[in-house]
Amino acid sequence: MKPFRRRLISNFVFWLATLFAGLFIIVIQLFPLYRESENRFEFWLMLAIVFLVIFLISALVGYQIIKVHVAPIDNITETALELVKGNYRARAYEDSIIGSAPLSSTINVLARTLQEITAVREIEQERLKTLIETMGSGLIMIDRQGKISLSNQYFQDEFELSSEEVNGTFYGVLPIPETLAEFIEKVFMTETPAREQLHYQSGIDTRSLEVYGAPVIGNHDQWLGIVIVLHDITELKRLEQIRKDFVANVSHELRTPVTSIKGFSETLIDGAYKDESTLLSFLEIIQTETNRLETLIEELLELSRVEQSGFEVDAQPTDMKAVIEYAIEMVQPALEEKEMELKTSLEPLTVSGDANRLVQIMMNLLANAINYSAPEKTIGVHLYKKRNQAVIEVRDEGIGIHPTEINRVFERFYRVDKARSRNSGGTGLGLSIVKHLVEAHHGKIEVQSTPGQGSVFTIYLPLAE
């Protein structure tokens, strides 16, 4: 029995005892009347009835007192226990008639306040969790003991780890690149902020990370651990390298013909023009280098146009078979010069595209196949339908492309065999232009190649409606 109820019942029993004591005194006072009474049995019967009625009335009154005052207190106690357990939806009964109403109201106000605080906290935790999980950077938090207390999905995906392998694990045993482990160790031991660019090998690729680490300081300047944020800058590094290579290659490609033109023209000015055969030979070289320089500038301008944001082609229903046949006619002299055979398998298909741009695509691919193939080899061109797309394949028996270089063949000025391409007059821009033009047609281009055996360039273009 609860203390309050025990006290209330004790008080009720004391009240009954006092009542019976008063009745006993009354009996003593009435005892002389009893002695003078002629019918004593009726006296005792009447007295017993009076006692019984008084007892029943007292019991009923006591029960109502207990019910009115003890039940609300029990309800308030149960509500308080539910709040202790974390059930902030529990509420106590409120009745303005009983004396415990202020206490019930106070308990309910406390419950509502705790519920609101909990709801706000859950919303903030959910927002923080969403922010951490969706941020475009990896994040881990390490506590004072060196264990990882928090990590997001980006970090786990970056190093192919699961949350069970990361959370709660000592940072020194994580299967992460050595450069990153050393950075974490430095920040953890020195407790000072740091920022570095790290590089590590992932398979055949080199990945780059920009990493920032800082100590976590709590109230009263208490050190709680460190936080590490890492961002993948591999693509930025790749683009930066492409930009550097582009500038270097453009400078080199322009310098070569300019140097030749300058050298031969100076030689002619110094007197070589007097020899007619030397004059004609030098002028032919100057003309060749001038044409090469003109081609390079034209392709640079063309590449600049197709790379511009918003570049679109004038897509019209176009006979793709006719486009390929026209491109073959244009490269026929080059095929005959190297005594190469061209085999075709062309289905009559109509695609949605710009005929002039499609001819440009095919001529670049055919020229690439001719340049990188030895004389008397075979080139194959196939056109067929696959689902709702037209598929164009250009096969050669050239030098092929190493698997590590396939992803780079569409870069500007990138050459698989620099000497052979330069000797053949290639600028290294053709495949870059092809890729942008194919994408402008809402298509895609793929490459399959085996070193020493040849390559297959496959283009997928949407069919005309």
Side-chain angles (χ1 to χ4, degrees):
M1 189 176 293
K2 298 174 182 173
F4 180 80
R5 181 177 292 182
R6 287 200 299 266
R7 287 198 304 270
L8 191 59
I9 294 177
S10 298
N11 292 336
F12 177 66
V13 171
F14 176 76
W15 177 71
L16 285 179
T18 304
L19 178 62
F20 279 104
L23 290 174
F24 181 75
I25 294 173
I26 293 174
V27 170
I28 296 299
Q29 295 295 327
L30 294 176
F31 186 71
L33 296 176
Y34 165 73
R35 295 180 63 183
E36 296 176 358
S37 176
E38 297 179 355
N39 190 349
R40 296 180 178 179
F41 175 77
E42 292 180 357
F43 177 81
W44 285 110
L45 180 60
M46 182 183 63
L47 190 61
I49 291 173
V50 171
F51 268 98
L52 181 60
V53 171
I54 293 175
F55 177 79
L56 291 176
I57 293 174
S58 300
L60 182 60
V61 171
Y63 174 76
Q64 291 297 328
I65 292 174
I66 293 174
K67 181 178 179 181
V68 170
H69 292 279
V70 174
I73 297 300
D74 287 344
N75 177 254
I76 292 173
T77 304
E78 292 173 359
T79 303
L81 292 175
E82 289 296 318
L83 295 179
V84 171
K85 294 177 183 178
N87 179 19
Y88 302 132
R89 295 184 178 181
R91 297 290 185 271
Y93 298 121
E94 295 186 26
D95 192 345
S96 58
I97 299 176
I98 60 176
S100 61
L103 179 59
S104 299
S105 177
T106 303
I107 287 290
N108 290 338
V109 171
L110 175 62
R112 281 190 289 270
T113 303
L114 291 174
Q115 186 177 9
E116 292 173 359
I117 293 174
T118 303
V120 172
R121 182 180 179 184
E122 289 176 352
I123 292 173
E124 291 178 349
Q125 287 180 339
E126 187 65 26
R127 288 177 178 173
L128 179 61
K129 181 180 178 181
T130 303
L131 174 64
I132 292 175
E133 289 297 333
T134 57
M135 64 187 297
S137 302
L139 180 142
I140 58 170
M141 293 187 67
I142 302 174
D143 61 20
R144 299 174 62 182
Q145 287 73 38
K147 293 183 179 181
I148 298 176
S149 58
L150 176 65
S151 66
N152 65 353
Q153 192 64 40
Y154 188 103
F155 178 86
Q156 298 165 18
D157 294 341
E158 179 71 24
F159 303 108
E160 299 180 355
L161 301 171
S162 63
S163 58
E164 292 77 13
E165 293 176 299
V166 178
N167 297 334
T169 304
F170 180 68
Y171 72 86
V173 300
L174 273 181
I176 56 177
E178 184 178 353
T179 53
L180 178 59
E182 292 174 354
F183 177 82
I184 296 175
E185 179 75 14
K186 181 179 71 173
V187 176
F188 189 84
M189 298 303 295
T190 61
E191 301 179 14
T192 55
R195 184 189 298 273
E196 291 184 11
Q197 288 189 2
L198 308 179
H199 309 279
Y200 70 96
Q201 201 69 21
S202 177
I204 62 175
D205 299 324
T206 299
R207 298 185 64 80
S208 301
L209 298 174
E210 184 174 15
V211 188
Y212 174 76
V216 179
I217 308 299
N219 296 330
H220 310 293
D221 295 330
Q222 183 182 12
W223 181 68
L224 303 178
I226 63 171
V227 60
I228 303 293
V229 180
L230 53 92
H231 185 66
D232 186 2
I233 57 172
T234 304
E235 184 64 17
L236 293 177
K237 286 293 184 182
R238 188 185 70 84
L239 295 175
E240 177 67 15
Q241 188 61 42
I242 291 176
R243 184 190 65 81
K244 292 179 180 179
D245 292 343
F246 177 73
V247 174
N249 286 325
V250 166
S251 301
H252 178 75
E253 295 293 338
L254 291 175
R255 186 187 301 115
T256 301
V258 168
T259 301
S260 298
I261 294 171
K262 181 180 179 182
F264 285 107
S265 60
E266 288 177 349
T267 304
L268 290 175
I269 292 174
D270 289 340
Y273 68 91
K274 297 178 180 180
D275 185 351
E276 185 176 352
S277 61
T278 302
L279 173 62
L280 293 176
S281 175
F282 282 11
L283 288 176
E284 287 179 359
I285 295 174
I286 292 174
Q287 184 184 29
T288 300
E289 294 299 326
T290 302
N291 291 337
R292 180 180 172 185
L293 185 61
E294 182 183 17
T295 301
L296 176 62
I297 293 173
E298 287 178 354
E299 291 199 351
L300 281 172
L301 292 174
E302 178 68 15
L303 182 61
S304 176
R305 282 192 292 268
V306 301
E307 283 186 336
Q308 287 180 357
S309 177
F311 172 78
E312 295 181 355
V313 295
D314 184 16
Q316 301 288 338
T318 305
D319 185 350
M320 194 64 207
K321 180 180 178 182
V323 167
I324 295 175
E325 290 174 344
Y326 179 78
I328 291 174
E329 290 181 5
M330 298 296 292
V331 300
Q332 191 65 37
L335 289 170
E336 294 175 354
E337 182 180 351
K338 298 184 73 172
E339 298 181 355
M340 300 180 70
E341 182 182 0
L342 181 65
K343 293 183 178 180
T344 61
S345 173
L346 308 176
E347 294 183 13
L349 296 177
T350 303
V351 301
S352 176
D354 186 325
N356 293 328
R357 294 296 187 179
L358 292 174
V359 169
Q360 186 179 4
I361 290 172
M362 293 308 304
M363 288 186 61
N364 276 330
L365 288 179
L366 289 171
N368 183 76
I370 295 171
N371 291 338
Y372 283 96
S373 298
E376 300 180 357
K377 293 292 185 178
T378 301
I379 294 176
V381 181
H382 306 280
L383 171 64
Y384 58 92
K385 179 180 179 181
K386 186 176 182 180
R387 298 187 182 91
N388 60 338
Q389 292 180 315
V391 182
I392 305 104
E393 292 182 355
V394 178
R395 298 176 177 268
D396 64 60
E397 298 176 352
I399 61 175
I401 307 169
H402 195 272
T404 58
E405 297 180 308
I406 285 182
N407 292 332
R408 300 193 62 188
V409 294
F410 297 108
E411 292 180 9
R412 294 169 291 185
F413 290 110
Y414 186 80
R415 293 184 176 92
V416 177
D417 186 340
K418 295 179 174 57
R420 180 175 300 184
S421 178
R422 186 171 285 112
N423 292 335
S424 64
T427 62
L429 299 174
L431 291 180
S432 296
I433 295 173
V434 167
K435 179 177 182 294
H436 285 88
L437 289 178
V438 169
E439 292 176 349
H441 283 84
H442 305 289
K444 66 176 181 177
I445 183 169
E446 297 177 348
V447 186
Q448 294 180 344
S449 183
T450 303
Q453 297 183 18
S455 306
V456 181
F457 287 82
T458 305
I459 296 176
Y460 300 88
L461 295 175
L463 292 171
E465 295 181 358

